[in-house]
Amino acid sequence: MALPVAFFAVFFAWPVAAIVSRGLKADGVWQFGRIADVVTQPDIRHVLWFTTWQALASTALTLLLALPAAHVFARLDFPGKQLLRAVVTVPFVLPTVVVGTAFLALVGHGGLLDDLWGVRLDTTVWALLLAHVFFNYAVVVRTVGGLWAQLDPRQEQAARMLGASPLTAWRKVTLPALAPAVAAAALMVFLFTFTSFGVVQILGGPTFSTLEVEIYRQTSELFDLSTAAVLTLVQFVAVGAILAVHAWTVRRRESALRLVDPKVTARRPRGAGQWGLLAGVLLTVVLLLVLPLAVLVQRSLDAPGLGYYRALTDADGGTFLVAPLHAVWTSLEYAVAATAIALVIGGLAAAALARRDAGRLVRGFDALLMLPLGVSAVTVGFGFLIALDRPPLDLRQSWILVPLAQALVGAPFVVRTMLPVLRAVDGRLREAAAVLGASPWRVWREVDLPLVRRALLIAAGFAFAVSLGEFGATVFIARPDNPTLPVAVARLLSRPGELNYGQAMALSTILMVVCAAALLLLERLRTDRTGEF
C-alpha cells in the first residue's frame, strides 16, 4: 500500500488541498465565512440547482432508455449479440469532447437536423440530456444487465404459475432483486453527469453551466480562486456522499442474491413481444448511439479529397504551435505512460485490497481510490500548477505532469478490474508454492500472474482509453507545443471558420477510432460476464 498511498497523497490530495488552501486563506487565516458567501450568491445557487436537476433528469432518462436493453442482453440470445454489446459500450470509453462534438454535428448549427428540418437543439438542455444518455447508456446495460443475466429465472416462472401476470411477476420478483444493481447504476450515472465537464463545455455554451464548468470558469477566466475553492469543497462533499451510498448498494448486491450461470438464462426471442422489444432496442441504439458517431464521421469527410484530414498536417500559428496531427502522437505517448503508471499503482492497490487479512484502514482506501473519478478534474489540473511548481517536486515544465494526471483517472479502473480476479485466486495455491520454497516474488510470478494476466490486459485497455480522452485536468497542464487530442479538438471548436470545425471533426473521428479499437480488443479479452467495468 505504500506506493499507492504516496501516489494519491502527492498527486491528488496535495494539489486539491493546495487550491482549497489558496482560495480560502487570507493572510494566513482561514476564511470559512467565505463558504456561506459563495453558496448564497444567486448565480452560484443557479449553477448548483442546474447541476443537480440536469443530473437527476439525465439519470432518469438513461434508466428509461437503457433498462429495456439490459433485459435484452440478459434474457435474449440473438445473432450479433457480442457486436451489439461492443457498439453499446463504445460511447462509454469515448472522451467527453468527442461526445460533445458528435452531438454538435447532429443537433448544432449546420448539423444534420438543422440541414434536414431546420431544427437546432444545441441551445436547449435536451442536447445535454441526450449526450449524457449517449455516454452512460452502457453503464446501465452492463451493470443491470450483468446481474439480470445471473438471476435464476425459475423464481419469476414460479410466480407466473401461481397466477401472476408478466408485469406483476417482474414487479414483485425480478425488480426487487435488481434494485441494488439499478441503484448502483443510477448512482454512477448521477455521479458522471453531476461532474460533467467536456459535454457541457461544448454543448452548453454560455447558457448552461454545471459545477465543474463553473470551477473552470472561475479559475481560468475570472481568476477567482476563492469561489473555485468553495465550489470544489461543495463538489467534494457531494461526491463523497454519492460514493458512500454506491458502496452500500454494491455490498447489498454482492451479499443478498443467489446467482446462476448467465449462459443458461438467455433464450432465443419468442413471440411478438420479445421480437418487438429487441427491435425497439436496436432502433434506440441506432438513433441514439450510432447516428451521432456516423454524422461525426460524415462531417469530417465533407471536404473533397479528405481535405480536413490533410489540413491536420499543416501547422497553424493562430491555433497551434505545431501541426494538429502532432496531437495524435502526443496523446498516444502520454496515454502509454499514464497506462504504465496506472497499472503499477492500481495493481499494487488491488493486490493489497485482495488480501483476506486486509485491515479496516486498507479497505477504507478502496473507497478513496474512486474519488478522482468524481472530484473536479479541473481542480486537480489547476492544483498541479500550484502545488508542483517548486522544489523538491518541481514538475511544472516536465512532460510527465500530463501522464500523472491521466493516471489518477486510470488507476481506479485498474483496481476495479483486477480486484475481483485477485480475490478469486485460491489462497491455498500461494501457500503450496511457499511451502515448496518459492519466494513471495516467485509466488506472485508463478501463481498470481498467470491467473490475472488477462484481467491485467483488460485493465490496461481501460486505463489507456480513459487516459487518451482525459480533458478536465489536461486542459490546464498540456503545453501549447504538445496538445493532446481532446485539448486540440476543444481549441479548434472555440475558433470560428469552416476549416477549424472540419479539423475538429477529423481529430474527433481519429480519437473515436482509436478508443473503439481499444474497446474491441477488450471485448475479445473479456473473461467474465458479470457486467462490471
Side-chain angles (χ1 to χ4, degrees), residues 437-484:
S439 64
W441 165 252
R442 188 174 181 184
V443 170
W444 181 86
R445 181 166 52 87
E446 301 289 346
V447 177
D448 289 279
L449 184 58
L451 295 174
V452 303
R453 182 183 292 114
R454 188 167 295 180
L456 189 67
L457 292 174
I458 294 174
F462 270 124
F464 179 81
V466 170
S467 301
L468 197 65
E470 204 288 322
F471 177 61
T474 308
V475 71
F476 273 100
I477 57 181
R479 299 176 54 161
D481 57 341
N482 279 307
T484 63

Side-chain angles (χ1 to χ4, degrees), residues 122-147:
D122 58 325
T123 56
T124 70
V125 74
W126 281 105
L128 297 178
L129 298 182
L130 291 175
H132 284 156
V133 174
F134 172 92
F135 186 74
N136 294 292
Y137 192 87
V139 175
V140 177
V141 170
R142 290 225 167 190
T143 304
V144 180
L147 178 62

Side-chain angles (χ1 to χ4, degrees), residues 381-461:
F382 198 67
F384 268 37
L385 299 181
I386 294 176
L388 305 178
D389 66 340
R390 61 179 62 90
L393 203 59
D394 185 2
L395 300 177
R396 192 164 180 172
Q397 300 299 322
S398 174
W399 68 272
I400 198 64
L401 205 60
V402 174
L404 287 172
Q406 294 174 345
L408 277 173
V409 183
F413 285 90
V414 175
V415 175
R416 294 272 70 80
T417 303
M418 295 189 63
L419 189 56
V421 181
L422 287 171
R423 282 175 173 166
V425 176
D426 192 339
R428 292 173 297 182
L429 296 175
R430 301 188 184 102
E431 294 167 359
V435 167
L436 292 173
S439 64
W441 165 252
R442 188 174 181 184
V443 170
W444 181 86
R445 181 166 52 87
E446 301 289 346
V447 177
D448 289 279
L449 184 58
L451 295 174
V452 303
R453 182 183 292 114
R454 188 167 295 180
L456 189 67
L457 292 174
I458 294 174

Side-chain angles (χ1 to χ4, degrees), residues 177-373:
L178 287 176
V182 173
L187 284 167
M188 290 305 294
V189 173
F190 184 84
L191 174 65
F192 289 138
T193 52
F194 186 83
T195 58
S196 180
F197 176 62
V199 170
V200 181
Q201 180 77 353
I202 291 176
L203 292 176
T207 308
F208 304 111
S209 178
T210 58
L211 197 56
E212 186 89 351
V213 174
E214 187 63 21
I215 293 173
Y216 175 78
R217 191 175 75 90
Q218 294 290 339
T219 52
S220 65
E221 297 179 11
L222 303 180
F223 303 104
D224 187 351
L225 291 186
S226 178
T227 300
V230 172
L231 296 180
T232 297
L233 288 177
V234 171
Q235 189 178 42
F236 189 85
V237 171
V239 167
I242 294 169
L243 290 177
V245 176
H246 178 263
W248 178 72
T249 58
V250 169
R251 283 197 299 271
R252 280 189 61 197
R253 182 181 60 180
E254 290 177 344
S255 60
L257 299 173
R258 179 175 298 175
L259 306 178
V260 298
D261 186 350
K263 294 180 180 179
V264 304
T265 62
R267 295 289 185 269
R268 283 279 188 175
R270 290 177 295 184
Q274 290 187 352
W275 281 108
L277 179 62
L278 176 58
V281 168
L282 291 175
L283 181 63
T284 301
V285 170
V286 170
L287 294 180
L288 182 65
L289 306 184
V290 177
L291 183 59
L293 300 180
V295 173
L296 174 66
V297 175
Q298 184 268 326
R299 285 290 187 266
S300 73
L301 298 173
D302 272 353
L306 300 176
Y308 292 143
Y309 289 91
R310 288 190 289 106
L312 295 177
T313 61
D314 299 328
D316 178 7
T319 306
F320 301 102
L321 299 179
V322 294
L325 193 62
H326 181 74
V328 177
W329 312 116
T330 300
S331 289
L332 292 175
E333 291 169 354
Y334 284 161
V336 169
T339 301
I341 297 171
L343 286 177
V344 173
I345 300 301
L348 289 174
L353 293 168
R355 291 180 61 90
R356 291 177 174 82
D357 57 349
R360 183 175 299 177
L361 184 62
V362 174
R363 291 195 299 270
F365 185 65
D366 187 17
L368 296 178
L369 287 170
M370 296 292 289
L371 281 179
L373 296 181

Side-chain angles (χ1 to χ4, degrees), residues 109 316 318-319 489-504:
H109 177 66
D316 178 7
T319 306
V489 170
R491 288 183 186 173
L492 287 167
L493 287 176
S494 67
R495 293 173 60 86
E498 182 180 347
L499 181 60
N500 286 319
Y501 178 82
Q503 288 183 91

